[in-house]
Amino acid sequence: LQEQHNVKRTRQSPEALAETKLREKSKIDEYLALTDDVLSRKKKPDWSEDAFQLTQSLLQINPEFYTVWNYRRNILLNGIFPQSAPEEINSLLSNELSMTTAALKAHPKVYWIWNHRSWCLENVPDGPERNGIPSMEWRQANWDKELFVVERMLDADARNFHAWNYRRYVLANMPTRRNETSELTYTSRKIGANFSNFSAWHQRSKSLVVLWESGQLDPVQSKDEEFELVSNALYTDPDDQSAWIYHRWLIGSGGNKEQLEREIQVITELLQEQPDSKCKRPCWIIVSSTYCSTGSMESLVHYKRLLLQNHSPDSQALKQECVELLSRLMDLDPIRYFRYRDLSESLVRKRTDVLIF
């Protein structure tokens, strides 16, 4: 017996191993034969119902076979749709959506399944005419159902970025657009359930921009409310990077001095409560020339440097405060020692216009 991850394993006999290998070989042979059959039909090309059913069998085994997804769509466009009435096309596409819903339950992060769903939605017929005008009822019903499906996907995994990205696609292309404030409410619910849901914070930023640009929300007042929301998240878990990233997005380039000074004070108070707080997770990526980290101390340096750049370029006190914070970071976070050292040296040389992370 062998034990791994608290699971006991039984050594198989040579006969049992040989039987297992034989079964695996049989499955591989069947898969290869099916693949050869489908690809040979694609090459002809074969737009028949038989070929259509074979693509489904193959995709159930390997949903990442994007060539077969493309072939399946071509069979619909060239072989099945031309012989079908609009009602039948709508039914066929509904079946496709049902088939891919089942596939997503087992493979929620396969791009090609999501791509096929979007193609199906975009090819739904308008619907029966009402007073000589297409009713759009089939399109609306399918798009509404799609939003419901993606919400169930996010209930199962609230941080599935494929589902969040697809949700944005659905919201942007629905025949009847939803009010952006409803999406803000949705992100509030997701963030409230889990402050570390970066995708929900990102979705929130997208919704806010739309609401600000359309004049539906006052940017100044709503930003103050957003700072209050994100401050709750920061105090709950100061080491989680999602809220810090959102906080940096709200601050932006630091043009609002009053806002910048207020948030510096908030972070200073947080740092006093969590004196050794620093990121315990991998820092996020370099974007352009700006390196972003998540610790309260690093953010404090970043915001004080923005204050230096935009509002107090000659403040020796601010520069000294940054240097002292960077010195502490060198001790607390030796992995990034040289980055902190370079930032500190740039301050000493009064080059506050570079290396803002």
Side-chain angles (χ1 to χ4, degrees):
L1 293 178
Q2 293 181 338
E3 190 170 321
Q4 186 175 11
H5 302 299
N6 298 318
V7 178
K8 292 184 177 180
R9 302 179 64 185
T10 304
R11 188 182 299 277
Q12 289 185 308
S13 66
E15 293 78 10
L17 282 172
E19 186 177 345
T20 299
K21 288 182 179 179
L22 189 62
R23 286 197 301 268
E24 291 175 349
K25 184 178 183 303
S26 177
K27 289 181 180 179
I28 292 171
D29 289 342
E30 289 176 8
Y31 172 73
L32 293 176
L34 179 58
T35 300
D36 288 343
D37 188 7
V38 169
L39 294 181
S40 65
R41 288 170 180 266
K42 174 181 178 294
K43 190 174 181 180
K44 286 181 182 179
D46 179 351
W47 310 130
S48 68
E49 179 68 29
D50 286 342
F52 187 68
Q53 295 302 325
L54 286 171
T55 63
Q56 182 163 337
S57 298
L58 185 51
L59 289 168
Q60 286 174 341
I61 301 171
N62 181 8
E64 297 201 65
F65 206 152
Y66 65 88
T67 299
V68 180
W69 285 112
N70 292 338
Y71 179 35
R72 186 174 180 84
R73 289 190 284 272
N74 280 326
I75 294 173
L76 287 168
L77 288 172
N78 297 292
I80 298 177
F81 284 177
Q83 304 175 26
S84 305
E87 294 88 349
E88 294 173 313
I89 293 174
N90 181 52
S91 179
L92 282 163
L93 291 172
S94 294
N95 291 337
E96 288 294 285
L97 290 168
S98 297
M99 182 266 286
T100 51
T101 298
L104 282 174
K105 291 178 180 178
H107 309 281
K109 297 183 180 180
V110 173
Y111 286 102
W112 317 114
I113 302 175
W114 294 107
N115 288 349
H116 191 68
R117 292 185 74 85
S118 63
W119 180 87
C120 290
L121 289 168
E122 290 165 10
N123 283 274
V124 172
D126 289 339
E129 291 188 355
R130 301 282 185 256
N131 300 320
I133 302 173
S135 64
M136 302 292 286
E137 65 183 56
W138 293 340
R139 287 180 178 270
Q140 190 66 52
N142 277 288
W143 283 94
D144 287 344
K145 184 178 179 181
E146 197 69 359
L147 189 60
F148 173 81
V149 169
V150 79
E151 287 185 359
R152 297 292 76 76
M153 294 290 295
L154 288 170
D155 287 342
D157 180 3
R159 294 193 285 185
N160 181 349
F161 74 89
H162 297 269
W164 278 106
N165 189 53
Y166 189 74
R167 180 182 177 84
R168 282 189 286 276
Y169 160 78
V170 172
L171 290 170
N173 291 278
M174 294 180 75
T176 303
R177 298 286 294 273
R178 295 180 71 198
N179 191 300
E180 203 68 35
T181 55
S182 63
E183 189 63 5
L184 207 61
T185 302
Y186 181 76
T187 61
S188 295
R189 189 164 74 249
K190 288 299 181 184
I191 289 167
N194 184 358
F195 280 139
S196 66
N197 189 338
F198 173 73
S199 294
W201 288 110
H202 178 65
Q203 182 80 343
R204 191 172 184 83
S205 70
K206 296 284 186 182
S207 297
L208 282 169
V209 169
V210 172
L211 290 167
W212 291 339
E213 291 179 348
S214 63
Q216 297 178 64
L217 272 184
D218 175 60
V220 176
Q221 180 181 344
S222 62
K223 267 198 175 185
D224 287 342
E225 294 170 357
E226 291 302 301
F227 276 118
E228 184 175 350
L229 171 67
V230 76
S231 292
N232 289 334
L234 295 176
Y235 272 89
T236 301
D237 186 359
D239 291 326
D240 182 76
Q241 63 177 342
S242 301
W244 284 113
I245 294 170
Y246 187 74
H247 194 274
R248 295 249 183 132
W249 175 77
L250 286 172
I251 289 290
S253 60
N256 187 322
K257 183 180 180 182
E258 180 182 349
Q259 185 183 84
L260 195 55
E261 290 177 332
R262 182 192 66 203
E263 294 307 306
I264 287 174
Q265 181 60 35
V266 169
I267 298 170
T268 300
E269 293 172 2
L270 172 62
L271 189 58
Q272 289 170 352
E273 293 187 16
Q274 303 281 341
D276 294 326
S277 173
K278 67 177 187 296
C279 181
K280 295 184 176 70
R281 300 174 178 85
C283 287
W284 58 305
I285 59 174
I286 295 175
V287 182
S288 301
S289 61
T290 303
Y291 189 92
C292 295
S293 173
T294 60
S296 54
M297 200 178 300
E298 289 180 291
S299 290
L300 194 55
V301 173
H302 177 74
Y303 296 151
K304 288 191 175 187
R305 286 173 61 80
L306 286 178
L307 198 58
L308 274 168
Q309 270 193 258
N310 299 324
H311 309 289
S312 307
D314 298 321
S315 174
Q316 295 302 316
L318 264 178
K319 292 178 186 178
Q320 185 58 35
E321 289 170 13
C322 290
V323 169
E324 290 173 1
L325 284 166
L326 288 164
S327 178
R328 290 174 62 190
L329 281 166
M330 289 180 214
D331 294 332
L332 290 170
D333 191 9
I335 293 176
R336 301 170 189 83
Y337 173 88
F338 291 104
R339 181 164 63 88
Y340 301 138
R341 187 196 64 181
D342 289 345
L343 286 166
S344 182
E345 289 177 354
S346 73
L347 283 163
V348 172
R349 293 193 301 268
K350 300 182 180 180
R351 290 169 54 195
T352 58
D353 57 330
V354 294
L355 291 173
I356 289 186
F357 58 93

PDB file of all heavy atoms in Angstrom, residues 70-103:
ATOM      1  N   ASN A  70     -15.236  24.875 -35.501  1.00  0.00           N
ATOM      2  CA  ASN A  70     -15.386  25.633 -36.751  1.00  0.00           C
ATOM      3  C   ASN A  70     -16.138  24.813 -37.802  1.00  0.00           C
ATOM      4  O   ASN A  70     -17.014  25.343 -38.517  1.00  0.00           O
ATOM      5  CB  ASN A  70     -14.012  26.030 -37.296  1.00  0.00           C
ATOM      6  CG  ASN A  70     -13.313  27.050 -36.423  1.00  0.00           C
ATOM      7  OD1 ASN A  70     -13.951  27.759 -35.658  1.00  0.00           O
ATOM      8  ND2 ASN A  70     -11.990  27.130 -36.529  1.00  0.00           N
ATOM      9  N   TYR A  71     -15.782  23.531 -37.902  1.00  0.00           N
ATOM     10  CA  TYR A  71     -16.455  22.645 -38.861  1.00  0.00           C
ATOM     11  C   TYR A  71     -17.935  22.522 -38.522  1.00  0.00           C
ATOM     12  O   TYR A  71     -18.794  22.578 -39.410  1.00  0.00           O
ATOM     13  CB  TYR A  71     -15.762  21.281 -38.845  1.00  0.00           C
ATOM     14  CG  TYR A  71     -16.353  20.244 -39.769  1.00  0.00           C
ATOM     15  CD1 TYR A  71     -16.893  20.581 -41.011  1.00  0.00           C
ATOM     16  CD2 TYR A  71     -16.370  18.894 -39.389  1.00  0.00           C
ATOM     17  CE1 TYR A  71     -17.427  19.612 -41.855  1.00  0.00           C
ATOM     18  CE2 TYR A  71     -16.901  17.924 -40.222  1.00  0.00           C
ATOM     19  CZ  TYR A  71     -17.435  18.288 -41.454  1.00  0.00           C
ATOM     20  OH  TYR A  71     -17.967  17.331 -42.283  1.00  0.00           O
ATOM     21  N   ARG A  72     -18.246  22.377 -37.248  1.00  0.00           N
ATOM     22  CA  ARG A  72     -19.649  22.251 -36.812  1.00  0.00           C
ATOM     23  C   ARG A  72     -20.458  23.486 -37.233  1.00  0.00           C
ATOM     24  O   ARG A  72     -21.587  23.364 -37.723  1.00  0.00           O
ATOM     25  CB  ARG A  72     -19.692  22.061 -35.302  1.00  0.00           C
ATOM     26  CG  ARG A  72     -21.077  21.772 -34.737  1.00  0.00           C
ATOM     27  CD  ARG A  72     -20.997  21.463 -33.239  1.00  0.00           C
ATOM     28  NE  ARG A  72     -22.295  21.177 -32.669  1.00  0.00           N
ATOM     29  CZ  ARG A  72     -22.898  19.989 -32.687  1.00  0.00           C
ATOM     30  NH1 ARG A  72     -22.305  18.968 -33.283  1.00  0.00           N
ATOM     31  NH2 ARG A  72     -24.083  19.810 -32.137  1.00  0.00           N
ATOM     32  N   ARG A  73     -19.889  24.663 -37.070  1.00  0.00           N
ATOM     33  CA  ARG A  73     -20.592  25.876 -37.478  1.00  0.00           C
ATOM     34  C   ARG A  73     -20.791  25.924 -38.994  1.00  0.00           C
ATOM     35  O   ARG A  73     -21.838  26.365 -39.478  1.00  0.00           O
ATOM     36  CB  ARG A  73     -19.831  27.108 -36.976  1.00  0.00           C
ATOM     37  CG  ARG A  73     -19.915  27.290 -35.470  1.00  0.00           C
ATOM     38  CD  ARG A  73     -19.371  28.632 -35.039  1.00  0.00           C
ATOM     39  NE  ARG A  73     -17.922  28.679 -35.069  1.00  0.00           N
ATOM     40  CZ  ARG A  73     -17.137  28.324 -34.061  1.00  0.00           C
ATOM     41  NH1 ARG A  73     -17.667  27.862 -32.938  1.00  0.00           N
ATOM     42  NH2 ARG A  73     -15.827  28.426 -34.156  1.00  0.00           N
ATOM     43  N   ASN A  74     -19.794  25.472 -39.730  1.00  0.00           N
ATOM     44  CA  ASN A  74     -19.920  25.464 -41.185  1.00  0.00           C
ATOM     45  C   ASN A  74     -20.985  24.481 -41.657  1.00  0.00           C
ATOM     46  O   ASN A  74     -21.668  24.727 -42.661  1.00  0.00           O
ATOM     47  CB  ASN A  74     -18.570  25.121 -41.828  1.00  0.00           C
ATOM     48  CG  ASN A  74     -17.638  26.311 -41.879  1.00  0.00           C
ATOM     49  OD1 ASN A  74     -18.087  27.445 -42.047  1.00  0.00           O
ATOM     50  ND2 ASN A  74     -16.348  26.084 -41.719  1.00  0.00           N
ATOM     51  N   ILE A  75     -21.130  23.353 -40.952  1.00  0.00           N
ATOM     52  CA  ILE A  75     -22.200  22.408 -41.299  1.00  0.00           C
ATOM     53  C   ILE A  75     -23.553  23.076 -41.111  1.00  0.00           C
ATOM     54  O   ILE A  75     -24.458  22.947 -41.953  1.00  0.00           O
ATOM     55  CB  ILE A  75     -22.096  21.133 -40.439  1.00  0.00           C
ATOM     56  CG1 ILE A  75     -20.822  20.355 -40.776  1.00  0.00           C
ATOM     57  CG2 ILE A  75     -23.325  20.242 -40.655  1.00  0.00           C
ATOM     58  CD1 ILE A  75     -20.562  19.165 -39.857  1.00  0.00           C
ATOM     59  N   LEU A  76     -23.707  23.803 -40.003  1.00  0.00           N
ATOM     60  CA  LEU A  76     -24.964  24.505 -39.770  1.00  0.00           C
ATOM     61  C   LEU A  76     -25.230  25.531 -40.863  1.00  0.00           C
ATOM     62  O   LEU A  76     -26.341  25.596 -41.425  1.00  0.00           O
ATOM     63  CB  LEU A  76     -24.935  25.182 -38.400  1.00  0.00           C
ATOM     64  CG  LEU A  76     -25.065  24.263 -37.177  1.00  0.00           C
ATOM     65  CD1 LEU A  76     -24.722  25.016 -35.892  1.00  0.00           C
ATOM     66  CD2 LEU A  76     -26.479  23.676 -37.088  1.00  0.00           C
ATOM     67  N   LEU A  77     -24.214  26.344 -41.183  1.00  0.00           N
ATOM     68  CA  LEU A  77     -24.401  27.427 -42.147  1.00  0.00           C
ATOM     69  C   LEU A  77     -24.629  26.920 -43.563  1.00  0.00           C
ATOM     70  O   LEU A  77     -25.453  27.475 -44.307  1.00  0.00           O
ATOM     71  CB  LEU A  77     -23.175  28.351 -42.124  1.00  0.00           C
ATOM     72  CG  LEU A  77     -23.005  29.239 -40.897  1.00  0.00           C
ATOM     73  CD1 LEU A  77     -21.656  29.933 -40.934  1.00  0.00           C
ATOM     74  CD2 LEU A  77     -24.134  30.267 -40.813  1.00  0.00           C
ATOM     75  N   ASN A  78     -23.900  25.869 -43.955  1.00  0.00           N
ATOM     76  CA  ASN A  78     -23.919  25.429 -45.346  1.00  0.00           C
ATOM     77  C   ASN A  78     -24.821  24.233 -45.622  1.00  0.00           C
ATOM     78  O   ASN A  78     -25.253  24.049 -46.767  1.00  0.00           O
ATOM     79  CB  ASN A  78     -22.497  25.076 -45.796  1.00  0.00           C
ATOM     80  CG  ASN A  78     -21.569  26.273 -45.751  1.00  0.00           C
ATOM     81  OD1 ASN A  78     -21.719  27.212 -46.513  1.00  0.00           O
ATOM     82  ND2 ASN A  78     -20.605  26.243 -44.847  1.00  0.00           N
ATOM     83  N   GLY A  79     -25.100  23.432 -44.589  1.00  0.00           N
ATOM     84  CA  GLY A  79     -25.871  22.217 -44.822  1.00  0.00           C
ATOM     85  C   GLY A  79     -27.236  22.187 -44.174  1.00  0.00           C
ATOM     86  O   GLY A  79     -28.193  21.663 -44.767  1.00  0.00           O
ATOM     87  N   ILE A  80     -27.351  22.727 -42.957  1.00  0.00           N
ATOM     88  CA  ILE A  80     -28.593  22.558 -42.195  1.00  0.00           C
ATOM     89  C   ILE A  80     -29.477  23.797 -42.248  1.00  0.00           C
ATOM     90  O   ILE A  80     -30.690  23.710 -42.503  1.00  0.00           O
ATOM     91  CB  ILE A  80     -28.261  22.176 -40.735  1.00  0.00           C
ATOM     92  CG1 ILE A  80     -27.514  20.829 -40.722  1.00  0.00           C
ATOM     93  CG2 ILE A  80     -29.520  22.084 -39.901  1.00  0.00           C
ATOM     94  CD1 ILE A  80     -27.072  20.364 -39.345  1.00  0.00           C
ATOM     95  N   PHE A  81     -28.914  24.974 -42.037  1.00  0.00           N
ATOM     96  CA  PHE A  81     -29.724  26.197 -42.045  1.00  0.00           C
ATOM     97  C   PHE A  81     -30.438  26.436 -43.382  1.00  0.00           C
ATOM     98  O   PHE A  81     -31.615  26.832 -43.377  1.00  0.00           O
ATOM     99  CB  PHE A  81     -28.864  27.410 -41.705  1.00  0.00           C
ATOM    100  CG  PHE A  81     -28.511  27.532 -40.241  1.00  0.00           C
ATOM    101  CD1 PHE A  81     -27.684  28.551 -39.793  1.00  0.00           C
ATOM    102  CD2 PHE A  81     -28.999  26.630 -39.307  1.00  0.00           C
ATOM    103  CE1 PHE A  81     -27.351  28.676 -38.455  1.00  0.00           C
ATOM    104  CE2 PHE A  81     -28.671  26.736 -37.967  1.00  0.00           C
ATOM    105  CZ  PHE A  81     -27.854  27.763 -37.537  1.00  0.00           C
ATOM    106  N   PRO A  82     -29.770  26.233 -44.541  1.00  0.00           N
ATOM    107  CA  PRO A  82     -30.458  26.511 -45.817  1.00  0.00           C
ATOM    108  C   PRO A  82     -31.712  25.668 -46.026  1.00  0.00           C
ATOM    109  O   PRO A  82     -32.595  26.058 -46.796  1.00  0.00           O
ATOM    110  CB  PRO A  82     -29.384  26.174 -46.861  1.00  0.00           C
ATOM    111  CG  PRO A  82     -28.093  26.379 -46.150  1.00  0.00           C
ATOM    112  CD  PRO A  82     -28.343  25.917 -44.751  1.00  0.00           C
ATOM    113  N   GLN A  83     -31.812  24.524 -45.334  1.00  0.00           N
ATOM    114  CA  GLN A  83     -32.972  23.642 -45.489  1.00  0.00           C
ATOM    115  C   GLN A  83     -33.968  23.811 -44.344  1.00  0.00           C
ATOM    116  O   GLN A  83     -34.915  23.033 -44.227  1.00  0.00           O
ATOM    117  CB  GLN A  83     -32.509  22.183 -45.543  1.00  0.00           C
ATOM    118  CG  GLN A  83     -31.487  21.885 -46.625  1.00  0.00           C
ATOM    119  CD  GLN A  83     -30.967  20.453 -46.541  1.00  0.00           C
ATOM    120  OE1 GLN A  83     -31.630  19.562 -46.039  1.00  0.00           O
ATOM    121  NE2 GLN A  83     -29.755  20.246 -47.037  1.00  0.00           N
ATOM    122  N   SER A  84     -33.761  24.810 -43.489  1.00  0.00           N
ATOM    123  CA  SER A  84     -34.577  24.950 -42.288  1.00  0.00           C
ATOM    124  C   SER A  84     -35.343  26.265 -42.285  1.00  0.00           C
ATOM    125  O   SER A  84     -34.849  27.294 -42.757  1.00  0.00           O
ATOM    126  CB  SER A  84     -33.686  24.884 -41.035  1.00  0.00           C
ATOM    127  OG  SER A  84     -32.903  23.699 -41.020  1.00  0.00           O
ATOM    128  N   ALA A  85     -36.547  26.218 -41.732  1.00  0.00           N
ATOM    129  CA  ALA A  85     -37.338  27.424 -41.528  1.00  0.00           C
ATOM    130  C   ALA A  85     -36.774  28.194 -40.336  1.00  0.00           C
ATOM    131  O   ALA A  85     -36.041  27.628 -39.518  1.00  0.00           O
ATOM    132  CB  ALA A  85     -38.794  27.046 -41.262  1.00  0.00           C
ATOM    133  N   PRO A  86     -37.090  29.499 -40.205  1.00  0.00           N
ATOM    134  CA  PRO A  86     -36.564  30.279 -39.077  1.00  0.00           C
ATOM    135  C   PRO A  86     -36.857  29.640 -37.715  1.00  0.00           C
ATOM    136  O   PRO A  86     -36.012  29.651 -36.822  1.00  0.00           O
ATOM    137  CB  PRO A  86     -37.273  31.631 -39.227  1.00  0.00           C
ATOM    138  CG  PRO A  86     -37.532  31.744 -40.687  1.00  0.00           C
ATOM    139  CD  PRO A  86     -37.837  30.354 -41.148  1.00  0.00           C
ATOM    140  N   GLU A  87     -38.078  29.063 -37.560  1.00  0.00           N
ATOM    141  CA  GLU A  87     -38.413  28.411 -36.291  1.00  0.00           C
ATOM    142  C   GLU A  87     -37.469  27.252 -36.002  1.00  0.00           C
ATOM    143  O   GLU A  87     -37.056  27.035 -34.854  1.00  0.00           O
ATOM    144  CB  GLU A  87     -39.862  27.903 -36.306  1.00  0.00           C
ATOM    145  CG  GLU A  87     -40.911  29.003 -36.372  1.00  0.00           C
ATOM    146  CD  GLU A  87     -41.247  29.420 -37.793  1.00  0.00           C
ATOM    147  OE1 GLU A  87     -40.516  29.003 -38.729  1.00  0.00           O
ATOM    148  OE2 GLU A  87     -42.226  30.164 -37.969  1.00  0.00           O
ATOM    149  N   GLU A  88     -37.120  26.512 -37.051  1.00  0.00           N
ATOM    150  CA  GLU A  88     -36.222  25.364 -36.889  1.00  0.00           C
ATOM    151  C   GLU A  88     -34.805  25.824 -36.557  1.00  0.00           C
ATOM    152  O   GLU A  88     -34.115  25.199 -35.754  1.00  0.00           O
ATOM    153  CB  GLU A  88     -36.232  24.520 -38.156  1.00  0.00           C
ATOM    154  CG  GLU A  88     -37.565  23.847 -38.436  1.00  0.00           C
ATOM    155  CD  GLU A  88     -37.597  23.160 -39.794  1.00  0.00           C
ATOM    156  OE1 GLU A  88     -37.183  23.789 -40.793  1.00  0.00           O
ATOM    157  OE2 GLU A  88     -38.027  22.006 -39.857  1.00  0.00           O
ATOM    158  N   ILE A  89     -34.384  26.913 -37.187  1.00  0.00           N
ATOM    159  CA  ILE A  89     -33.040  27.452 -36.892  1.00  0.00           C
ATOM    160  C   ILE A  89     -32.957  27.891 -35.442  1.00  0.00           C
ATOM    161  O   ILE A  89     -31.975  27.609 -34.737  1.00  0.00           O
ATOM    162  CB  ILE A  89     -32.711  28.618 -37.846  1.00  0.00           C
ATOM    163  CG1 ILE A  89     -32.575  28.110 -39.277  1.00  0.00           C
ATOM    164  CG2 ILE A  89     -31.421  29.319 -37.407  1.00  0.00           C
ATOM    165  CD1 ILE A  89     -32.383  29.201 -40.309  1.00  0.00           C
ATOM    166  N   ASN A  90     -34.011  28.558 -34.980  1.00  0.00           N
ATOM    167  CA  ASN A  90     -34.042  28.978 -33.581  1.00  0.00           C
ATOM    168  C   ASN A  90     -33.972  27.776 -32.649  1.00  0.00           C
ATOM    169  O   ASN A  90     -33.251  27.789 -31.638  1.00  0.00           O
ATOM    170  CB  ASN A  90     -35.312  29.777 -33.307  1.00  0.00           C
ATOM    171  CG  ASN A  90     -35.396  30.260 -31.870  1.00  0.00           C
ATOM    172  OD1 ASN A  90     -34.468  30.871 -31.349  1.00  0.00           O
ATOM    173  ND2 ASN A  90     -36.513  29.970 -31.207  1.00  0.00           N
ATOM    174  N   SER A  91     -34.691  26.717 -32.988  1.00  0.00           N
ATOM    175  CA  SER A  91     -34.674  25.491 -32.174  1.00  0.00           C
ATOM    176  C   SER A  91     -33.302  24.826 -32.200  1.00  0.00           C
ATOM    177  O   SER A  91     -32.800  24.365 -31.162  1.00  0.00           O
ATOM    178  CB  SER A  91     -35.743  24.522 -32.682  1.00  0.00           C
ATOM    179  OG  SER A  91     -35.721  23.329 -31.928  1.00  0.00           O
ATOM    180  N   LEU A  92     -32.685  24.784 -33.378  1.00  0.00           N
ATOM    181  CA  LEU A  92     -31.350  24.195 -33.503  1.00  0.00           C
ATOM    182  C   LEU A  92     -30.332  24.945 -32.633  1.00  0.00           C
ATOM    183  O   LEU A  92     -29.517  24.330 -31.938  1.00  0.00           O
ATOM    184  CB  LEU A  92     -30.895  24.215 -34.963  1.00  0.00           C
ATOM    185  CG  LEU A  92     -31.485  23.143 -35.885  1.00  0.00           C
ATOM    186  CD1 LEU A  92     -31.272  23.541 -37.337  1.00  0.00           C
ATOM    187  CD2 LEU A  92     -30.835  21.787 -35.597  1.00  0.00           C
ATOM    188  N   LEU A  93     -30.386  26.264 -32.685  1.00  0.00           N
ATOM    189  CA  LEU A  93     -29.437  27.061 -31.910  1.00  0.00           C
ATOM    190  C   LEU A  93     -29.715  26.950 -30.414  1.00  0.00           C
ATOM    191  O   LEU A  93     -28.774  26.963 -29.600  1.00  0.00           O
ATOM    192  CB  LEU A  93     -29.489  28.520 -32.374  1.00  0.00           C
ATOM    193  CG  LEU A  93     -28.932  28.758 -33.778  1.00  0.00           C
ATOM    194  CD1 LEU A  93     -29.200  30.188 -34.238  1.00  0.00           C
ATOM    195  CD2 LEU A  93     -27.430  28.469 -33.830  1.00  0.00           C
ATOM    196  N   SER A  94     -30.961  26.805 -30.036  1.00  0.00           N
ATOM    197  CA  SER A  94     -31.284  26.574 -28.625  1.00  0.00           C
ATOM    198  C   SER A  94     -30.693  25.257 -28.157  1.00  0.00           C
ATOM    199  O   SER A  94     -30.182  25.149 -27.030  1.00  0.00           O
ATOM    200  CB  SER A  94     -32.807  26.569 -28.421  1.00  0.00           C
ATOM    201  OG  SER A  94     -33.353  27.843 -28.683  1.00  0.00           O
ATOM    202  N   ASN A  95     -30.750  24.244 -29.032  1.00  0.00           N
ATOM    203  CA  ASN A  95     -30.135  22.955 -28.698  1.00  0.00           C
ATOM    204  C   ASN A  95     -28.623  23.074 -28.569  1.00  0.00           C
ATOM    205  O   ASN A  95     -28.012  22.445 -27.698  1.00  0.00           O
ATOM    206  CB  ASN A  95     -30.479  21.915 -29.761  1.00  0.00           C
ATOM    207  CG  ASN A  95     -31.945  21.517 -29.746  1.00  0.00           C
ATOM    208  OD1 ASN A  95     -32.615  21.667 -28.723  1.00  0.00           O
ATOM    209  ND2 ASN A  95     -32.444  21.033 -30.878  1.00  0.00           N
ATOM    210  N   GLU A  96     -28.027  23.893 -29.443  1.00  0.00           N
ATOM    211  CA  GLU A  96     -26.577  24.113 -29.357  1.00  0.00           C
ATOM    212  C   GLU A  96     -26.210  24.761 -28.017  1.00  0.00           C
ATOM    213  O   GLU A  96     -25.233  24.389 -27.372  1.00  0.00           O
ATOM    214  CB  GLU A  96     -26.109  25.011 -30.498  1.00  0.00           C
ATOM    215  CG  GLU A  96     -26.111  24.372 -31.857  1.00  0.00           C
ATOM    216  CD  GLU A  96     -25.103  23.236 -31.958  1.00  0.00           C
ATOM    217  OE1 GLU A  96     -23.888  23.509 -32.054  1.00  0.00           O
ATOM    218  OE2 GLU A  96     -25.532  22.071 -31.928  1.00  0.00           O
ATOM    219  N   LEU A  97     -27.008  25.726 -27.605  1.00  0.00           N
ATOM    220  CA  LEU A  97     -26.746  26.395 -26.329  1.00  0.00           C
ATOM    221  C   LEU A  97     -26.910  25.429 -25.159  1.00  0.00           C
ATOM    222  O   LEU A  97     -26.125  25.462 -24.208  1.00  0.00           O
ATOM    223  CB  LEU A  97     -27.675  27.602 -26.175  1.00  0.00           C
ATOM    224  CG  LEU A  97     -27.391  28.778 -27.107  1.00  0.00           C
ATOM    225  CD1 LEU A  97     -28.527  29.792 -27.075  1.00  0.00           C
ATOM    226  CD2 LEU A  97     -26.073  29.461 -26.739  1.00  0.00           C
ATOM    227  N   SER A  98     -27.904  24.550 -25.244  1.00  0.00           N
ATOM    228  CA  SER A  98     -28.089  23.550 -24.190  1.00  0.00           C
ATOM    229  C   SER A  98     -26.913  22.576 -24.151  1.00  0.00           C
ATOM    230  O   SER A  98     -26.434  22.208 -23.077  1.00  0.00           O
ATOM    231  CB  SER A  98     -29.394  22.771 -24.417  1.00  0.00           C
ATOM    232  OG  SER A  98     -30.510  23.624 -24.332  1.00  0.00           O
ATOM    233  N   MET A  99     -26.450  22.166 -25.337  1.00  0.00           N
ATOM    234  CA  MET A  99     -25.312  21.250 -25.411  1.00  0.00           C
ATOM    235  C   MET A  99     -24.053  21.868 -24.809  1.00  0.00           C
ATOM    236  O   MET A  99     -23.327  21.230 -24.043  1.00  0.00           O
ATOM    237  CB  MET A  99     -25.065  20.865 -26.871  1.00  0.00           C
ATOM    238  CG  MET A  99     -23.937  19.865 -27.087  1.00  0.00           C
ATOM    239  SD  MET A  99     -22.327  20.641 -27.450  1.00  0.00           S
ATOM    240  CE  MET A  99     -22.593  21.183 -29.145  1.00  0.00           C
ATOM    241  N   THR A 100     -23.819  23.140 -25.110  1.00  0.00           N
ATOM    242  CA  THR A 100     -22.610  23.784 -24.581  1.00  0.00           C
ATOM    243  C   THR A 100     -22.760  24.140 -23.103  1.00  0.00           C
ATOM    244  O   THR A 100     -21.763  24.241 -22.389  1.00  0.00           O
ATOM    245  CB  THR A 100     -22.263  25.040 -25.396  1.00  0.00           C
ATOM    246  OG1 THR A 100     -23.410  25.887 -25.502  1.00  0.00           O
ATOM    247  CG2 THR A 100     -21.784  24.664 -26.795  1.00  0.00           C
ATOM    248  N   THR A 101     -23.993  24.313 -22.627  1.00  0.00           N
ATOM    249  CA  THR A 101     -24.190  24.520 -21.189  1.00  0.00           C
ATOM    250  C   THR A 101     -23.719  23.294 -20.419  1.00  0.00           C
ATOM    251  O   THR A 101     -23.020  23.408 -19.401  1.00  0.00           O
ATOM    252  CB  THR A 101     -25.674  24.795 -20.869  1.00  0.00           C
ATOM    253  OG1 THR A 101     -26.080  25.991 -21.517  1.00  0.00           O
ATOM    254  CG2 THR A 101     -25.884  24.952 -19.367  1.00  0.00           C
ATOM    255  N   ALA A 102     -24.077  22.126 -20.915  1.00  0.00           N
ATOM    256  CA  ALA A 102     -23.617  20.880 -20.286  1.00  0.00           C
ATOM    257  C   ALA A 102     -22.097  20.769 -20.363  1.00  0.00           C
ATOM    258  O   ALA A 102     -21.444  20.331 -19.403  1.00  0.00           O
ATOM    259  CB  ALA A 102     -24.280  19.688 -20.965  1.00  0.00           C
ATOM    260  N   ALA A 103     -21.530  21.182 -21.492  1.00  0.00           N
ATOM    261  CA  ALA A 103     -20.074  21.106 -21.648  1.00  0.00           C
ATOM    262  C   ALA A 103     -19.356  22.043 -20.681  1.00  0.00           C
ATOM    263  O   ALA A 103     -18.303  21.715 -20.130  1.00  0.00           O
ATOM    264  CB  ALA A 103     -19.682  21.436 -23.085  1.00  0.00           C
TER     265      ALA A 103
END
